Amino acid sequence: MTSKSSRISGFYNETLGSRLDLLKIHSGVSEEDIRALSGEAGLSTELADLMIENVIGIYSLPLGIATNFLINGVDILVPMVIEEPSVVAGASFMAKLVREGGGFEATAGKSLMIAQIQILDVPDLAEAESTILTNKDQILGEASKADPVLVKLGGGPIDLEVRPFRETPVGPMLVVHLIIDTKDAMGANAANTAAERLTPLLEQLSGGRVHLRILSNLADQRLARAKCNIPKEVLAFGEYSGAQVRDGIIEAWAFASVDPYRAATHNKGIMNGVDSVLISTGNDWRAVEAGAHAYASRSGTYSSLSKWSVGPNGSLEGTLEMPLAVGTIGGATRVHPTAKAALQLMGIETAKELAEVIISVGLAQNLAALRALATEGIQRGHMSLHARQVAIAAGALGSMVKTIADRMTSEGEITFERAKAILHKISKD
Ligand code: MEV
């Protein structure tokens, strides 16, 4: 990971060009990567045409840089792709507060993916289960042949689990889980190919009929965890004391811990951070979304993915744990020029490092939302940025965007019609 500073004071107030200059200085990435990140270069239609079907063009989104992140003692400038205002600013600001407590501590384990194999028409579930487990080594050996390169890299199939379902809408079924270490790949292809390869052997061993062979997005053997501790004094602002902010955040989290209606929104805030880094690095954010929400339901009741409590010396302690199946090789990560540049910017090589950054950003984003909700409310910060988007939609350009947005915010009327009227007046003057 990069060892340059992620503290770029006043980055927010710089012009777009100056931000790029600062990025060059603070990250040391190449001109080519800067061009890809800035949108000057990046994905071409020719490349896009090779990625999916029926391509007719390219759809762009804003790419912002979250500053201040200190993760496991390393400074990281985090590229975030998102259309929603306040997210990048929120992450950067919370990372600044977390720095005061030593930064984020993050861990990610091995890249263990689960490939599921559904077996139907099994004459005797218990006997099939026992036969499959007895022949585990043979099955793992066969699955390993699906990807010799992965095995050479130290990965590949490592374990097997068998899950009998005695009653389903189509009768009994046996589900085999093949656990594969996919190293620095997200692993969908490795998991699916290995699962497909096992069809004849599993049919022979179980006496049944293999039906589906596909990875599970509930990657609960591939968890990432982040922790932060913020001194309570650092949390104080305006009329709010540090203890008030801390306790307000804990009360807000408690709401999400018991109520699925609130937990869905709480976790959505976490995913604002998680998804925007997934997208910037060309990762499959739908897969991570699916895994996150399934994991949030593991107790039987959908709940918060994070936890907030009083830490040592009255600090605010936050933790976040969720499955993070991400890759730094394969898929779009090594094809999309901006995704490649995003990894370069962070100095990330392994899937583990990437997961550790993403989980930290998710925790920062959760903190940003809870801090705002527990104090002045979310709308204040949101509205000024929303006003800018309304001004742009009304046709404002350059410095006019801010002028019109500020005017509408101070008047308390942020509408397309009002933006049009102000724009019309400015243009006439
Ligand atoms: C908005 O995108 C995200 C929040 O709703 C998250 C939350 O409520 O915790 C602000």
Side-chain angles (χ1 to χ4, degrees):
M1 292 191 214
T2 179
S3 60
K4 305 243 165 125
S5 175
S6 66
R7 283 278 298 119
I8 314 181
S9 155
F11 194 65
Y12 180 82
N13 291 319
E14 296 293 342
T15 61
L16 224 145
S18 314
R19 281 191 212 125
L20 282 170
D21 290 339
L22 284 166
L23 199 60
K24 277 182 222 164
I25 298 165
H26 283 264
S27 67
V29 294
S30 69
E31 277 296 330
E32 194 191 339
D33 285 336
I34 291 286
R35 277 166 27 86
L37 290 165
S38 70
E40 197 188 315
L43 188 64
S44 62
T45 38
E46 290 74 23
L47 207 49
D49 197 26
L50 299 171
M51 289 173 74
I52 64 161
E53 309 75 33
N54 298 1
V55 167
I56 53 109
I58 291 167
Y59 182 100
S60 305
L61 283 170
L63 189 160
I65 301 292
T67 54
N68 303 324
F69 273 86
L70 180 66
I71 303 169
N72 296 336
V74 180
D75 268 276
I76 313 247
L77 287 164
V78 185
M80 300 176 77
V81 169
I82 186 155
E83 86 298 343
E84 183 175 330
S86 300
V87 171
V88 179
S92 304
F93 186 31
M94 293 309 112
K96 193 169 159 194
L97 301 188
V98 171
R99 271 184 102 83
E100 302 285 331
F104 295 90
E105 275 171 42
T107 53
K110 283 191 171 180
S111 303
L112 299 184
M113 288 304 276
I114 300 168
Q116 296 197 289
I117 301 138
Q118 176 196 25
I119 315 178
L120 300 167
D121 306 333
V122 177
D124 184 332
L125 282 190
E127 196 184 314
E129 178 177 359
S130 147
T131 311
I132 287 170
L133 290 174
T134 311
N135 290 280
K136 182 164 138 179
D137 289 346
Q138 186 195 354
I139 298 169
L140 293 182
E142 182 59 28
S144 298
K145 290 183 195 153
D147 194 340
V149 178
L150 181 61
V151 175
K152 225 169 133 194
L153 291 170
I158 60 156
D159 204 2
L160 207 69
E161 291 161 1
V162 185
R163 303 165 64 232
F165 290 88
R166 290 181 201 289
E167 276 177 45
T168 83
V170 294
M173 73 176 70
L174 207 60
V175 176
V176 175
H177 279 190
L178 179 67
I179 318 297
I180 308 181
D181 183 351
T182 63
K183 306 298 279 183
D184 290 323
M186 182 272 188
N189 282 332
N192 296 341
T193 312
E196 287 187 6
R197 189 177 178 101
L198 291 181
T199 305
L201 181 56
L202 287 177
E203 286 190 338
Q204 182 207 321
L205 293 171
S206 65
R209 169 173 62 91
V210 166
H211 194 43
L212 299 197
R213 296 145 305 166
I214 186 75
L215 89 166
S216 171
N217 287 127
L218 177 49
D220 61 0
Q221 304 199 28
R222 200 172 180 176
L223 298 176
R225 295 180 186 86
K227 184 176 164 196
C228 66
N229 253 295
I230 308 155
K232 88 170 173 293
E233 303 68 44
V234 173
L235 291 167
F237 74 100
E239 77 250 32
Y240 302 98
S241 72
Q244 270 175 321
V245 177
R246 178 199 62 200
D247 296 344
I249 289 171
I250 296 169
E251 287 161 359
W253 159 77
F255 182 6
S257 77
V258 295
D259 178 12
Y261 286 92
R262 171 58 203 150
T265 324
H266 176 99
N267 290 340
K268 189 273 180 182
I270 293 171
M271 299 313 284
N272 277 343
V274 168
D275 284 348
S276 44
V277 188
L278 291 170
I279 298 171
S280 80
T281 55
N283 271 281
D284 182 346
W285 73 95
R286 288 89 54 212
V288 174
E289 281 277 348
H293 298 295
Y295 193 65
S297 310
R298 67 195 179 284
S299 70
T301 306
Y302 185 88
S303 182
S304 164
L305 287 164
S306 65
K307 187 170 185 308
W308 294 94
S309 57
V310 179
N313 304 318
S315 64
L316 174 68
E317 184 166 294
T319 54
L320 173 63
E321 179 187 270
M322 57 178 270
L324 262 175
V326 296
T328 53
I329 58 168
T333 49
R334 288 278 166 100
V335 174
H336 195 305
T338 314
K340 282 197 285 184
L343 289 174
Q344 284 294 326
L345 172 67
M346 294 189 281
I348 280 177
E349 279 171 14
T350 64
K352 174 178 155 56
E353 288 170 344
L354 180 57
E356 289 170 354
V357 170
I358 294 174
I359 196 80
S360 303
V361 177
L363 186 58
Q365 212 63 60
N366 185 220
L367 176 61
L370 297 189
R371 177 183 171 276
L373 288 166
T375 56
E376 58 193 13
I378 209 79
Q379 283 313 92
R380 190 152 166 247
H382 257 288
M383 286 324 267
S384 62
L385 287 159
H386 167 64
R388 286 196 205 181
Q389 288 185 337
V390 173
I392 293 166
L397 291 169
S399 61
M400 267 192 228
V401 174
K402 191 167 172 331
T403 310
I404 296 172
D406 287 351
R407 175 99 64 93
M408 290 194 295
T409 307
S410 67
E411 290 171 357
E413 186 190 344
I414 304 171
T415 60
F416 182 74
E417 290 70 29
R418 184 65 194 132
K420 271 259 179 239
I422 301 172
L423 181 62
H424 183 68
K425 184 159 186 319
I426 294 175
S427 313
K428 260 186 30 201
D429 288 349

